[in-house]
Amino acid sequence: MATEFRFPDDFYWGAATSAYQVEGGNENTDWAQAAREGKVPPAGRLADHYHRFEEDFDIAKELGHNAHRFSIEWARIEPREGEWDHKEIEHYREVLKALRARNIEPFVTLWHFTLPLWFSESGGFERKDSPELYARYCNFVVDELSDLATHFTTMNEENIYSGMGWLRGAWPPFKRFTLADLFRDVSTEHRETDATASRSFWTPVLWYRVISHLKTAHRMVYEQVKEAHPEVLISFVHQVHVFESNWNPYNKLKALVAHYILNGSFSSLYQYCDEIGLNYYHYKKFGDTKTYPKTDMGWNSNPERIYDALMYVAHYKKPIIISETGLADHEDDMRPDYIRTQIRAVARALNDGADVRAYMYWSLLDNYEWDLGIGMRFGLVEIDYDTLERRIRPSAYVYKQIIKANGNVEKAGEMDTKG
Ligand code: BGC
């Protein structure tokens, strides 16, 4: 059945990146340290977005984007505890000015997974005073940048960050729960690091501590920033996993526990935000016998299920920013339909009452896919890592036409695919 089309006129269309995944040269971080120890692939200069952001924003502009999400590298701003690097603040001011000059609305993420070494080596978010240290950093950045940006996200995916670091043990600090294998079927991709993580039965205690500190940190930033800058809009970004199960009670239990572990933090975070950032990649039905097309990550492709994720978040009655969604597809043959199907599903959610304000594809550029390195290609724009040449993929033009038709996929299809 055709969906009644309805996107607001002031809807934001764009794409997202994160500092460590595209900037290059972020050596003073826990991830760079893990790479030096041979635990994850080295990042190096990557797309060199740190020096080429103007060129990349020209591409975003050409592709019709009117919004862009990026993150600030904490280790650049506070390279040593309590010391601010004003040159790096100046750098991000230039980034924001470059977006403003192109009429692209910035969505600034204050922290996307990577930590300054001084912080990670002294315990990171296991530290009792981590919320205060984190809030001090966020307050400083917002004070310095709020004349150029309105939308600030405190943190990216507290659930994935803590789950990958402390339960699955695939990311720094590589702490794995002994019984994590019970949940192996939640994520299907293979991660080498799983095998080398330190295993303990008590890891969930640390995980719970980290999650609690992250929630406190978010609340502190929200309260303090709103007091100093009431005009700023604060969000957190959560990756919503959609879980279902067949009739089997054991599968039902698994779906409930998985939902609690991955989405449980949501219900306390939403009270402290002006808008909610939603990342969507996964739909999982326990006991499902169907087979689905697979992305290069080995993930099932279920773009239409973003509808369920949106309706879950809509329940919290705040404006919703789709801050990430996308797929690794180096041939670019699944991406066009993925985007079309997904935008139809977003339209359906809008029609059913979800207050969606933005759709940001992950990612503008090919980037460093964490412990899986640079082989996973999520970009609308392909990066040649030898020459740093940028090549716009055909799917980026499909998305451009949809933007031009303000989300009307059918109308976009009638338009010339390169226009
Ligand atoms: C993260 C990104 C990552 C993407 C694809 C999200 O969880 O925010 O950093 O590249 O998923 O795996």
Side-chain angles (χ1 to χ4, degrees):
M1 199 183 70
T3 306
E4 183 204 338
F5 157 74
R6 200 208 76 177
F7 276 87
D9 288 341
D10 54 357
F11 196 80
Y12 289 119
W13 298 101
T17 62
S18 90
Y20 193 77
Q21 292 178 274
V22 294
E23 280 184 352
N26 279 312
E27 294 303 321
N28 186 23
T29 60
D30 55 344
W31 273 81
Q33 182 58 28
R36 286 188 285 271
E37 291 166 8
K39 294 180 175 161
V40 294
R45 83 178 165 170
L46 295 173
D48 196 25
H49 179 70
Y50 186 81
H51 297 109
R52 292 167 190 249
F53 62 87
E54 298 262 4
E55 179 187 343
D56 293 336
F57 296 161
D58 281 343
I59 296 175
K61 185 74 199 161
E62 187 202 323
L63 293 174
H65 298 190
N66 65 357
H68 179 71
R69 173 178 177 232
F70 71 97
S71 78
I72 308 255
E73 189 64 61
W74 181 1
R76 289 193 191 273
I77 305 297
E78 191 177 2
R80 282 163 297 280
E81 184 165 355
E83 277 181 36
W84 307 122
D85 188 328
H86 293 274
K87 265 198 348 276
E88 294 290 0
I89 278 290
E90 205 37 55
H91 168 78
Y92 289 111
R93 291 189 63 80
E94 292 305 316
V95 169
L96 285 168
K97 284 184 200 158
L99 288 169
R100 289 261 173 246
R102 291 163 180 79
N103 276 323
I104 298 180
E105 182 70 22
F107 287 76
V108 182
T109 300
L110 293 162
W111 167 57
H112 194 123
F113 295 162
T114 44
L115 300 177
L117 257 187
W118 64 263
F119 184 66
S120 61
E121 287 185 337
S122 59
F125 281 102
E126 287 179 22
R127 259 177 90 152
K128 198 164 165 223
D129 60 351
S130 53
E132 285 80 8
L133 293 171
Y134 183 66
R136 184 181 62 182
Y137 153 73
C138 292
N139 278 307
F140 175 73
V141 175
V142 179
D143 281 350
E144 296 288 324
L145 303 183
S146 60
D147 57 326
L148 291 168
T150 307
H151 303 268
F152 286 91
T153 291
T154 55
M155 54 185 70
N156 183 66
E157 299 182 343
E158 79 301 335
N159 53 344
I160 303 303
Y161 171 76
S162 54
M164 291 299 270
W166 280 265
L167 294 180
R168 184 152 179 189
W171 291 357
F174 307 103
K175 297 187 182 177
R176 186 170 173 87
F177 176 40
T178 316
L179 301 181
D181 291 345
L182 279 180
F183 286 93
R184 213 173 17 206
D185 54 353
V186 173
S187 289
T188 45
E189 81 283 3
H190 172 73
R191 304 211 180 233
E192 298 289 345
T193 41
D194 285 14
T196 51
S198 68
R199 287 170 180 261
S200 157
F201 193 73
W202 299 109
T203 311
V205 176
L206 289 178
W207 168 78
Y208 189 78
R209 185 183 167 94
V210 168
I211 273 279
S212 307
H213 287 162
L214 292 173
K215 289 196 280 196
T216 308
H218 170 78
R219 184 174 45 76
M220 271 185 176
V221 178
Y222 179 74
E223 286 169 353
Q224 293 169 8
V225 166
K226 289 302 279 190
E227 203 181 325
H229 304 278
E231 74 290 357
V232 152
L233 298 174
I234 296 285
S235 60
F236 63 91
V237 161
H238 182 89
Q239 187 181 135
V240 174
H241 279 58
V242 178
F243 291 112
E244 287 183 344
S245 77
N246 66 355
W247 58 270
N248 182 323
Y250 179 56
N251 286 330
K252 284 194 190 305
L253 181 68
K254 272 170 126 179
L256 261 179
V257 176
H259 176 75
Y260 175 75
I261 293 177
L262 278 147
N263 300 323
S265 41
F266 203 90
S267 54
S268 44
L269 280 169
Y270 88 94
Q271 302 164 49
Y272 307 100
C273 66
D274 303 305
E275 45 197 17
I276 295 174
L278 161 71
N279 289 0
Y280 168 78
Y281 294 94
H282 295 287
Y283 159 75
K284 165 87 192 163
K285 182 170 175 179
F286 290 91
D288 199 355
T289 49
K290 270 201 232 135
T291 51
Y292 297 91
K294 301 254 187 237
T295 73
D296 291 352
M297 293 286 281
W299 294 345
N300 289 341
S301 173
N302 297 106
E304 70 288 355
R305 289 295 185 152
I306 198 170
Y307 173 84
D308 303 72
L310 284 167
M311 296 317 285
Y312 168 70
V313 174
H315 174 79
Y316 293 96
K317 307 244 173 298
K318 302 259 173 156
I320 304 169
I321 307 297
I322 300 172
S323 34
E324 268 181 51
T325 182
L327 75 167
D329 173 23
H330 71 287
E331 298 279 8
D332 202 44
D333 47 14
M334 291 170 76
R335 194 174 283 109
D337 264 341
Y338 184 98
I339 294 175
R340 287 190 195 103
T341 307
Q342 196 162 63
I343 291 174
R344 284 195 197 100
V346 177
R348 198 150 64 85
L350 271 164
N351 287 325
D352 290 348
D355 184 5
V356 190
R357 307 278 178 97
Y359 176 91
M360 273 173 283
Y361 178 81
W362 181 269
S363 172
L364 178 62
L365 309 173
D366 279 345
N367 56 50
Y368 175 84
E369 181 52 23
W370 306 112
D371 54 307
L372 303 176
I374 56 170
M376 294 296 147
R377 303 291 188 138
F378 279 85
L380 293 171
V381 179
E382 180 187 346
I383 302 293
D384 179 325
Y385 286 107
D386 295 326
T387 61
L388 294 184
E389 191 196 334
R390 273 82 171 131
R391 290 183 214 116
I392 300 176
R393 293 198 163 102
S395 55
Y397 291 108
V398 170
Y399 183 35
K400 176 179 180 174
Q401 295 299 48
I402 296 175
I403 297 174
K404 225 179 193 175
N406 198 29
N408 188 333
V409 177
E410 278 58 47
K411 190 168 151 206
E414 291 157 16
M415 298 156 117
D416 164 26
T417 40
K418 284 264 159 92

